[in-house]
Amino acid sequence: MTVAADRARGGTSRYPDTWRPLGMFGGPDRRLAFWVLVLAYVVWAVSDLDVDWARVGRGLPRALDMLARMMPPAVGDRWHLLVNGMLESMQMAIASSIAGMALAIPLGIAAASNLSPRPLYLAARGLIVVGRSFHEILIAIFFVKLFGFGAVAGLLTLAFSSAIFLAKMLAEDIENMKPGPVEAVRASGASFGQVVAFAVAPQVLVKTLGVFIYRLDANLRHSTVIGIVGAGGIGGSLSAAFSRYDYDFASAILLAIAAVVAVGEWFSDWSRRKLR
Amino acid sequence: MSATARPPEGGAPSLGYPDRWQRRSTREALVQWLWLAGCALAAAWSVSSLDIEWAFFQDAHEQAADLLERMWPPRWSYLPRILEPMLDTIHIATLGTMIAVTLSLPVAFLAARNTTANGFTWMIGRAILVGSRSINTVIWGLVFVAIFGPGAVAGVFAVAARSVGFVAKLVAEAIEEVDAGQIEAVRATGAGTLQTWWVAILPQVLPVLVGTTVYRWDINVRESSVLGFVGAGGIGLLLYASINSFAWDQVLVVLLAILAVVFASEAFSAWVRGRIS
């Protein structure tokens, strides 16, 4: 019996006349409550931010003006700035990834709960948790203070943050590996170094290489910004171009960064697919 | 871990096995050493052409000691002044993420092979993904400060501009992997394109969308802590001012505050993602 026929006979069907997709909130009341909360948050947050609306309103014409001045991108006689800056960023990325990997191996082993003693494990995990919380630019400030302006500070910043990142991934891989090979190698009387070389390394090598290539790509992205605080690379030239309203050069740098990063990402995806 | 294998007494003829166990053949070992040497060369080339002023290394430890001495003890009286900018930082991350999620849905449908209209629209979608993702949040900050002037609005848009590509890329990948049967079933009832997307595809990618959003929000809290360096609002502004005036005891207070907020946001993000999956 259809719902309509049931209704015609004066019955009350338990089924609704029209179908509605199931919501994700589990009921109209909860949905309403969710959107009211979101709206209330937006109103509160925007009013809290002290926005100068008149200045924002002038933004659109300014954006159009800026875009007009960005087109076409022009390098002029500053090719050496662009090429040297990009090259420096890439070199920082390569060197810091390799240095970071070298540092990450001991740190990662120390941070794996199944290989390292408890106090060392806690210390290594603590370093990783704190190091991960700070943005690269914040770390760069400290290295700039210690080593002066220039590529050294950038190199050390990226090496430090890559070591933290790679060590975290490595430690997780080591914790998830199969315990069998480790026991077998240990049972043959192997020393700790031999256990790492013959039981741990073969199990985590491929995945770690994948993470390393990912980090190389990530470092290339980061190396383009830390120049803003004086840590070398193309970021310094970009920041200077913006502050001099030199928009056509800025857009040339932006395009160069986007191109290099896109190629880097493509290479990283390609080689990680090959690894699998 | 080397054991010499002696042939049993009576001297069975040697089968040609080596006496010592080796994990790799000579050839494999050679290839491996070549890879390592290549890495070392790449690192050496990169470092040598960076024009490094090695003299700076000599007094680095003194500088570090000096820094620590000036940082300690933290100047806690500065804390009340940074609460408001800290809240602004969280607002910038949250509002930016909200805008990004709203914009990322259409972009994701454009950039997913099975929902895009044709090759041209797919290219547009992909171009938006690459453009948004390849420029760092801080650089987006530079761009939006030039447009909207210094302040939190530039920060919100910078966060949104970078996050659109991130969220849309992961959602587009999820859309490409949805169960085709549900799409067919909904289409068979006579649903239009938008109805199919809304009823058949969106519910399937919702867990990915929510998970990615919360994860990106957590990253954005970290990113918006430095947006102030280029004038895009938040706590970075005060941090930059403290660094420039060498008030390192204030810098420490700000860093500890950032650490606390980042921990809290990471815990929240992990909790939400744990509940979804």
Side-chain angles (χ1 to χ4, degrees), chain A residues 19 21-22 24 38 41-42 44-46 48-53 55-60 62-63 66 70 87-92 94-95 98-99 129-130 132-135 137-138 141-142 145-149 151-152 155-156 168 185 188-190 194 197-198 201-202 205 212 221-222 224-225 228-229 235 238-239 242 247 254 257-259 261-262 265 269, chain B residues 1-2 21 23-24 32 38-40 42-43 45-47 49-53 56-57 59-60 63-67 70-71 84 87-92 94-95 98 130-131 133-136 138-139 142-150 152-153 156-157 162 169 198-199 203 206 210 222-223 225-226 229-230 239-240 243 248 251 255-256 258-259 262-263 266:
Chain A
W19 178 83
L22 291 166
M24 60 173 167
V38 168
Y41 172 77
V42 170
W44 173 58
V46 171
D48 209 38
L49 281 178
D50 288 334
V51 179
D52 179 359
W53 289 110
R55 177 67 190 77
V56 174
R58 288 200 299 275
L60 194 66
R62 276 186 73 119
M66 197 169 107
M70 275 183 157
L87 209 60
E88 193 171 68
S89 281
M90 283 153 79
Q91 285 164 340
M92 284 191 328
I94 293 172
I98 294 171
V129 166
V130 173
R132 254 170 54 81
S133 303
F134 293 117
H135 194 277
I137 289 188
L138 294 182
I141 290 168
F142 286 92
K145 160 85 171 122
L146 297 190
F147 294 97
F149 291 106
V152 183
L155 179 64
L156 293 172
K168 177 171 185 283
V185 172
S188 73
Q194 285 170 324
F198 294 112
L205 189 66
F212 171 72
R221 288 156 197 264
H222 293 309
T224 58
V225 265
I228 290 173
V229 292
L238 181 63
S239 176
F242 266 104
Y247 290 134
L254 285 178
I257 291 177
V261 167
E265 184 176 316
D269 283 349
Chain B
M1 204 177 44
S2 59
W21 177 79
R23 192 172 122 60
R24 294 183 181 80
Q32 202 184 22
C39 280
W45 168 72
S46 299
V47 171
S49 45
L50 277 179
D51 294 315
I52 290 174
E53 190 71 60
F56 282 134
F57 277 81
D59 69 335
Q63 293 279 353
D66 176 51
L67 194 62
R70 290 185 194 208
M71 275 186 156
E84 183 64 32
L87 194 62
D88 283 357
T89 303
I90 300 171
H91 285 331
I92 290 171
T94 314
L95 292 174
M98 282 178 174
V130 171
R133 282 160 45 76
S134 57
I135 295 182
N136 196 294
V138 179
I139 299 182
L142 277 175
V143 174
F144 283 108
V145 166
I147 294 175
F148 293 119
V153 175
V156 170
F157 279 98
R162 171 66 181 83
K169 180 173 190 239
W198 187 253
V199 178
L206 206 57
V210 176
R222 213 167 301 191
E223 301 255 354
S225 68
V226 292
F229 282 63
V230 293
L239 185 58
Y240 201 47
I243 289 169
W248 292 101
V251 172
L255 289 182
L256 289 173
I258 292 177
L259 195 66
V262 168
F263 276 1
E266 205 170 306

Side-chain angles (χ1 to χ4, degrees), chain A residues 196-214:
Chain A
V196 170
F198 294 112
V200 177
Q203 293 197 62
V204 299
L205 189 66
V206 172
K207 214 163 176 195
T208 304
L209 269 182
V211 178
F212 171 72
I213 293 169
Y214 168 79

